[in-house]
Amino acid sequence: MSHQAYATHVRAGELTARRISSSTLTYEITLTAYFDMENGKGAADLQHNVNFYIGSDGPITAPRLNIINIGNNTTQNIYKINYTFPSAGKYRISYEQDNRNNNVLNIGPPPTQSLNFYVSTTLEINASFGMNQTPVMLNAPIDLAAVGQRYIHNPGAYDADGDSLAYRLFVPQRGTTNGAGINLQYKDPNLVVVPEGSPSYTETGASPAKFSMDPITGDLVWDAPMVKGYYNVAFVVEEWRDGVLIGQIVRDMQIIVEEARNDRPVLDPLPEICVEAGTIINQKITAQDKNGDKLTLTSSGGVYDASLVASPVAKFTVAQQGSQGSVSGNFIWQTSCGHIRQEAYDVLFKVEDGPADGSPNPALFKKLADLGVMNVRVYGPKPQNLRGVEVADPAGVAYQLNWDSYKCQIPGAKIVIYRKEGCTTLPEDVCISGIPAGSGYTEVGRVEVNETGFLDNNKGAGLRAGVSYSYRLVAVFPRPGANPTEPGSLIGGGKSVASDEFCLQLPMVMPVITNVTVDITNATTGQITVKWIRPSSSAGMPAQYQLYRAVGQNGTNFTRIATINTNLTPGVADTLFVDKGLNTEANAYRYQLEYYRTENGALTKLDVTEPASSVWLQQGSAIPSNVRLNWSAIVPWSNSNQVHRVYREDKANPGSFNRIAEVSVTGAQTFTYTDDGTDRYAADGTVNVPISTTDSYCYKVETVGSYNNSQIKPDKLYNFSQIICVTASDTAKPCPPVLTIDPLDCDNLGPDTYCSAVSFANNLSWEYPQQVGGKECDQNISAYKVYYARYENETPTLIKTITAPPAPLSTTFVHSGLTSLSGCYYVTAVNGFGTESAPSNTVCKNNCPAFVLPNVFTPNGDGKNDVFKPMDCPAFVQSLEFRVFNRWGAQVFDTKDVDVNWNGQTNAGKDLAAGQYYYEAKVYFESTQQGGTPTTIKGWVQLLR
């Protein structure tokens, strides 16, 4: 079929794969291609088959199995083959097709009709992955964009295995040889403006226009197009399992921007739904159109497809499809135990407008759309009626636990038993399954889901006598579709909400520190009060407390400061010590308590408490009219999820502190407050002050904490920090991070390592210091900036600004889509007020070049080994100067072709005689040195006829 017959018809496409045999590495490989039926109908109709490449193996012909007209002058075309891979490993599957549309505005080089369309998928084949399949994209990229209006696309990616998905933008590519692709000239579509350099705007009028992709939801947003025309963009859908990247798919798609006189419709905000398996979800979905246009409301997602999700599938019904101005539909899903999984189900909703009844020239109406994704999490039912009794066991102290038969008897599921010391209440959040992080529980065993009992004897070592133990259960489930017997089947599976606690309320045999509060702030006469609770024991028994102190919140050099003899009589003031003569201006202090009791007539040490520090208050970075406060305490109780108190000295009454704020805190990152001079706590009187860089202000903080243990009273623990007096100009500056890059082990890489590589990536990580040169670093970091230079002598340019979420800020970055691993990087830190640190250390990375030549070839025209060229594939070769000499030293051939491709002839085309020839190859490898790093390779080759 002629080249021209295939031109200008591919709008978008992606490749997916699924394993279809448990005994062989046979996969069904599918190309889903979207063809333009307005500008390329002839070529689209004739596209009866396409060619795939598996690595460099190909072309492999795939027939078209289905054509569906999906509207907007677009058809969806499905091509499939079955392919058996020779072994486990990483494979690139690719497809290319001539030609793209002409006059695409953001890719090049022009004319764009001379550029082919190319997509690839990276498939990781590993026995531990079982019957894995790549994600599928269920939302077709066919919606028009309108000048001046926000455009959104979401691929509706769904992974039937329950793997985590992540999204990132990618540079569109064109195919080269043997299934490989290279980047096109490209700029993000929001940078296309006419005339060049003129401003761009969002839908709401802000400048500049923005183009981005949400790495978590997959929302591709362009806010807003400025110039009518064709644009091509690409993105990657990554598939992750247990923190490991196991595959990725590239979707290349075309966005058509039109002038439109109507406004896009808008979906109402979508909720996040978390339900227990077995719950019926009935959620109303509504959309509006301010122009009163006809509206079509649809939904897509894996929850509707019985081949992707366990029965029963969801339903979406719209009673009055096509109603004008407003439309509503109902999402209904009877969830079941088979729907439990770790990842949320993403359900995509789309509203598209159309001409209202009686509209003039309805054929000229430009349909616009809005998209939204609703997350639905299905968790396992809570295990019920956990109970326990102490039983006799050869190991010593042991407890027999029992519970009711579990509701969801899924093959391969387990009941996991968790234990901790001390009775604890956990906050319940149905959107958080399992045991919340940081709650102190440890897994002590797991049993099959059909079992209802477990003996805890600490794995044969026996439990500690006299300790109150708290137990909880969590059910864990295999990934949807996983074989329960395959290794790793529980990775990526779902969990239940933790069961109610069963706690053995035994008397507390050890004291517990409850307070380390600063009474006096002074360099020589500072004072801290330490309190603890009395252990449960009979009064009158001689006992002893020994209190130890170390300097610093993390101090380990403990010194005994007090010995307190007691007979454990209630009401006696023997659970308190006032520590005097301290430098509380410069130091925090850390305390721990040793407890001795009478055994066999002698005092014997029973145990040591967990250490507890004083609260340490510091100044953070702020604008000149504010004072920022940061505080911390390293204690065995929790100061999180409480309301802390901030006090400022009343200048009219020196020494008197007025409470100015109550700060709701979650984790340690939120132990901060910025004072702008406003008193936000009125109960003790309002004292507002102007914050000036010339005045000093004194502060202290009172933390509120709890052990969350019903046996420890009081429940609320109050502790003061030291007092600090500061000015608004005394702010710490951000310090440069310490940067590292993943190294290459060139000695252990084979010559074919990079043969199937589509692109490359460098993995950066860094640490932000607490202090540099004894000076505190500003910990209020709001962003990191990553800079990159291709060559050592170039000035690095900003390539990524990392902001929240997630919180805390990520300290890693993957620079992907590279054509070479060579390059240099540094990172800076930016505080909450925009101050950027000095650059970090600069790290550079070079490629591991590969260029191996054979020592024999046979240019006899039999199609086998006729050409002398590098073995496997040359890697990172920038340029080449290659010369061949006969045995008398006369040059007979030279070339600058990086693949050599010597056919045994002179440059004049004359066949050379059989025999031994000598070569010299001056190879310039891509490196951090501009122009490449030259390497001279000399050798011989036997030419056989």
Side-chain angles (χ1 to χ4, degrees):
M1 194 163 294
S2 71
H3 177 88
Q4 182 62 31
Y6 287 97
T8 65
H9 65 289
V10 184
R11 282 196 64 180
E14 67 268 354
L15 288 157
T16 56
R18 68 181 183 96
R19 188 172 174 180
I20 57 176
S21 171
S22 59
S23 58
T24 65
L25 300 179
T26 303
Y27 281 72
E28 178 187 78
I29 300 172
T30 302
L31 169 70
T32 304
Y34 298 90
F35 291 164
D36 181 353
M37 301 302 287
E38 182 176 19
N39 301 305
K41 184 178 186 306
D45 289 343
L46 293 172
Q47 191 77 64
H48 302 302
N49 51 61
V50 296
N51 291 328
F52 293 162
Y53 275 85
I54 314 293
S56 59
D57 181 16
I60 303 168
T61 300
R64 177 160 56 188
L65 302 184
N66 198 16
I67 306 175
I68 304 173
N69 187 337
I70 56 175
N72 276 8
N73 297 308
T74 304
T75 58
Q76 182 188 70
N77 300 260
I78 306 297
Y79 300 83
K80 290 188 180 186
I81 60 165
N82 292 343
Y83 183 87
T84 301
F85 291 86
S87 62
K90 182 183 290 187
Y91 293 89
R92 179 195 62 216
I93 308 168
S94 62
Y95 154 76
E96 68 176 81
Q97 185 65 58
D98 293 334
N99 287 25
R100 292 180 182 266
N101 297 77
N102 202 17
N103 299 319
V104 179
L105 298 180
N106 68 320
I107 61 173
T112 57
Q113 66 181 5
S114 67
L115 305 175
N116 61 35
F117 179 89
Y118 174 90
V119 289
S120 65
T121 286
T122 302
L123 181 65
E124 186 88 35
I125 298 178
N126 188 307
S128 65
F129 297 162
M131 298 289 287
N132 186 48
Q133 52 188 312
T134 65
V136 293
M137 302 193 203
L138 301 176
N139 185 39
I142 63 170
D143 298 313
L144 296 177
V147 171
Q149 299 194 49
R150 175 178 174 269
Y151 168 84
I152 181 170
H153 170 72
N154 187 293
Y158 180 84
D159 191 283
D161 304 311
D163 295 321
S164 299
L165 302 182
Y167 305 83
R168 59 183 171 87
L169 292 170
F170 190 72
V171 176
Q173 295 189 319
R174 63 179 176 87
T176 54
T177 58
N178 297 325
I182 60 172
N183 292 348
L184 297 172
Q185 295 175 7
Y186 170 80
K187 59 182 176 182
D188 286 339
N190 62 311
L191 301 178
V192 176
V193 290
V194 176
E196 187 78 21
S198 59
S200 60
Y201 300 95
T202 66
E203 184 178 64
T204 59
S207 183
K210 298 178 180 179
F211 179 74
S212 64
M213 188 167 208
D214 189 302
I216 298 172
T217 66
D219 283 344
L220 178 77
V221 177
W222 182 5
D223 189 7
M226 297 293 294
V227 180
K228 175 183 176 180
Y230 290 92
Y231 299 80
N232 268 85
V233 299
F235 56 86
V236 172
V237 181
E238 298 176 335
E239 181 184 11
W240 293 80
R241 182 177 297 176
D242 198 28
V244 176
L245 180 64
I246 65 172
Q248 60 182 36
I249 301 171
V250 175
R251 171 179 272 188
D252 187 313
M253 58 176 279
Q254 190 167 84
I255 303 174
I256 301 176
V257 177
E258 298 275 10
E259 296 281 359
R261 296 183 178 181
N262 64 308
D263 298 294
R264 65 179 177 87
V266 178
L267 277 169
D268 287 357
L270 299 172
E272 181 176 336
I273 298 176
C274 302
V275 297
E276 179 182 305
T279 303
I280 297 178
I281 301 171
N282 192 333
Q283 179 66 42
K284 185 177 181 180
I285 308 297
T286 303
Q288 319 286 337
D289 188 288
K290 67 180 183 180
N291 303 132
D293 294 328
K294 278 188 175 181
L295 297 178
T296 301
L297 183 61
T298 57
S299 181
S300 62
V303 296
Y304 300 109
D305 189 336
S307 68
L308 297 175
V309 71
S311 181
V313 297
K315 297 179 181 179
F316 183 63
T317 57
V318 181
Q320 294 182 324
Q321 196 73 274
S323 58
Q324 295 184 189
S326 178
V327 65
S328 296
N330 275 359
F331 172 80
I332 301 174
W333 191 19
Q334 171 64 69
T335 62
S336 70
C337 294
H339 297 140
I340 300 168
R341 71 176 201 173
Q342 177 177 300
E343 295 299 313
Y345 293 90
D346 291 339
V347 186
L348 187 144
F349 295 93
K350 170 182 168 182
V351 59
E352 184 180 59
D353 62 7
D357 292 336
S359 297
N361 300 316
L364 300 179
F365 188 90
K366 303 298 183 183
K367 296 182 178 180
L368 301 179
D370 190 26
L371 302 178
V373 175
M374 181 173 72
N375 293 327
V376 179
R377 295 184 182 274
V378 181
Y379 58 84
K382 177 190 294 187
Q384 298 292 325
N385 198 21
L386 174 61
R387 54 203 181 273
V389 293
E390 185 173 358
V391 295
D393 189 87
V397 177
Y399 295 98
Q400 176 64 47
L401 303 175
N402 291 98
W403 55 89
D404 292 351
S405 178
Y406 190 63
K407 182 178 179 180
C408 286
Q409 295 290 317
I410 299 295
K414 309 286 184 184
I415 300 292
V416 183
I417 300 93
Y418 290 90
R419 180 187 71 215
K420 71 167 291 187
E421 293 185 10
C423 304
T424 302
T425 57
L426 290 181
E428 279 202 18
D429 184 341
V430 295
C431 282
I432 302 176
S433 56
I435 298 289
S439 57
Y441 282 91
T442 302
E443 179 181 335
V444 296
R446 55 179 58 197
V447 298
E448 298 298 328
V449 71
N450 60 351
E451 298 185 41
T452 57
F454 177 76
L455 175 67
D456 183 19
N457 61 6
N458 199 23
K459 298 181 179 179
L463 294 163
R464 294 170 58 198
V467 175
S468 295
Y469 287 106
S470 170
Y471 291 93
R472 292 183 188 269
L473 305 178
V474 173
V476 295
F477 300 86
R479 291 187 315 280
N483 186 332
T485 62
E486 72 184 38
S489 63
L490 294 175
I491 296 173
K495 296 179 180 179
S496 73
V497 171
S499 72
D500 292 334
E501 175 190 45
F502 170 72
C503 191
L504 297 153
Q505 292 270 9
L506 299 179
M508 294 188 65
V509 297
M510 272 295 296
V512 175
I513 295 177
T514 57
N515 295 86
V516 180
T517 186
V518 180
D519 305 319
I520 299 174
T521 301
N522 191 276
T524 57
T525 61
Q527 178 177 301
I528 292 177
T529 296
V530 182
K531 296 180 182 180
W532 56 92
I533 63 168
R534 183 177 291 107
S536 298
S537 187
S538 301
M541 176 186 294
Q544 187 181 85
Y545 307 114
Q546 293 186 11
L547 183 63
Y548 290 76
R549 178 186 68 216
V551 177
Q553 286 190 308
N554 292 291
T556 57
N557 186 19
F558 283 97
T559 301
R560 186 172 62 187
I561 59 171
T563 299
I564 302 172
N565 294 310
T566 177
N567 61 8
L568 303 177
T569 301
V572 176
D574 56 7
T575 58
L576 174 150
F577 181 78
V578 179
D579 193 12
K580 300 180 179 181
L582 304 173
N583 183 359
T584 50
E585 281 187 4
N587 300 317
Y589 292 90
R590 194 181 192 206
Y591 297 86
Q592 67 179 22
L593 193 69
E594 291 184 357
Y595 173 58
Y596 295 76
R597 70 180 182 183
T598 301
E599 292 185 2
N600 299 321
L603 284 175
T604 303
K605 185 168 78 171
L606 180 62
D607 210 340
V608 181
T609 65
E610 292 185 64
S613 81
S614 59
V615 182
W616 186 244
L617 179 61
Q618 292 178 295
Q619 184 181 15
S621 181
I623 60 176
S625 59
N626 288 175
V627 173
R628 185 181 180 90
L629 304 173
N630 301 320
W631 59 94
S632 61
I634 302 174
V635 293
W637 59 87
S638 172
N639 285 323
S640 299
N641 302 308
Q642 301 285 351
V643 178
H644 295 189
R645 302 163 177 179
V646 180
Y647 297 82
R648 183 180 62 222
E649 186 181 34
D650 183 355
K651 288 183 177 293
N653 298 286
S656 174
F657 281 78
N658 182 58
R659 191 186 304 183
I660 60 170
E662 293 192 329
V663 182
S664 296
V665 299
T666 50
Q669 294 289 326
T670 63
F671 291 11
T672 184
Y673 176 73
T674 299
D675 180 22
D676 62 0
T678 304
D679 185 345
R680 292 180 170 82
Y681 182 80
D684 62 348
T686 300
V687 181
N688 296 318
V689 299
I691 300 294
S692 167
T693 57
T694 59
D695 288 339
S696 176
Y697 305 88
C698 297
Y699 299 88
K700 64 180 179 180
V701 168
E702 185 180 26
T703 61
V704 182
S706 174
Y707 274 100
N708 298 312
N709 187 329
S710 57
Q711 293 179 283
I712 298 178
K713 300 296 183 182
D715 180 55
K716 299 295 184 185
L717 309 177
Y718 299 91
N719 291 280
F720 277 106
S721 72
Q722 89 283 16
I723 296 169
I724 63 170
C725 296
V726 296
T727 66
S729 60
D730 291 337
T731 57
K733 304 299 182 184
C735 297
V738 179
L739 177 63
T740 58
I741 191 169
D742 58 322
L744 285 174
D745 185 3
C746 297
D747 293 338
N748 291 318
L749 294 179
D752 61 346
T753 299
Y754 299 117
C755 286
S756 60
V758 177
S759 61
F760 303 94
N762 285 324
N763 296 281
L764 304 175
S765 61
W766 57 91
E767 294 183 356
Y768 186 76
Q770 293 290 325
Q771 56 179 228
V772 172
K775 184 177 180 181
E776 295 293 328
C777 298
D778 181 9
Q779 299 299 311
N780 177 35
I781 301 303
S782 62
Y784 292 105
K785 292 187 175 183
V786 183
Y787 293 82
Y788 166 74
R790 175 62 183 82
Y791 301 106
E792 288 181 1
N793 60 348
E794 286 185 341
T795 301
T797 58
L798 178 66
I799 58 169
K800 181 67 176 180
T801 299
I802 295 173
T803 57
L809 278 174
S810 174
T811 55
T812 62
F813 174 65
V814 179
H815 190 194
S816 57
L818 300 172
T819 58
S820 166
L821 292 166
S822 293
C824 297
Y825 300 85
Y826 69 73
V827 176
T828 62
V830 182
N831 68 18
F833 305 99
T835 304
E836 187 172 3
S837 74
S840 71
N841 56 304
T842 298
V843 297
C844 295
K845 185 175 181 179
N846 263 322
N847 298 303
C848 291
F851 192 83
V852 180
L853 293 167
N855 56 17
V856 66
F857 75 118
T858 57
N860 54 15
D862 65 354
K864 299 177 181 178
N865 201 24
D866 283 334
V867 177
F868 180 71
K869 59 183 179 180
M871 298 172 65
D872 296 310
C873 57
F876 306 114
V877 176
Q878 183 170 301
S879 62
L880 172 73
E881 297 173 8
F882 181 80
R883 297 189 295 166
V884 180
F885 305 88
N886 63 21
R887 57 184 174 176
W888 295 285
Q891 180 174 316
V892 296
F893 177 77
D894 70 89
T895 183
K896 292 185 178 181
D897 184 350
V898 295
D899 292 319
V900 181
N901 290 320
W902 180 36
N903 61 3
Q905 296 178 338
T906 67
N907 289 102
K910 180 180 178 181
D911 286 340
L912 290 165
Q916 186 167 287
Y917 292 84
Y918 302 89
Y919 61 79
E920 179 183 87
K922 192 173 186 180
V923 187
Y924 290 82
F925 290 108
E926 294 181 7
S927 72
T928 56
Q929 300 296 319
Q930 204 153 16
T933 302
T935 299
T936 300
I937 302 172
K938 296 181 179 181
W940 59 268
V941 60
Q942 192 73 29
L943 189 158
L944 303 177
R945 294 285 185 183

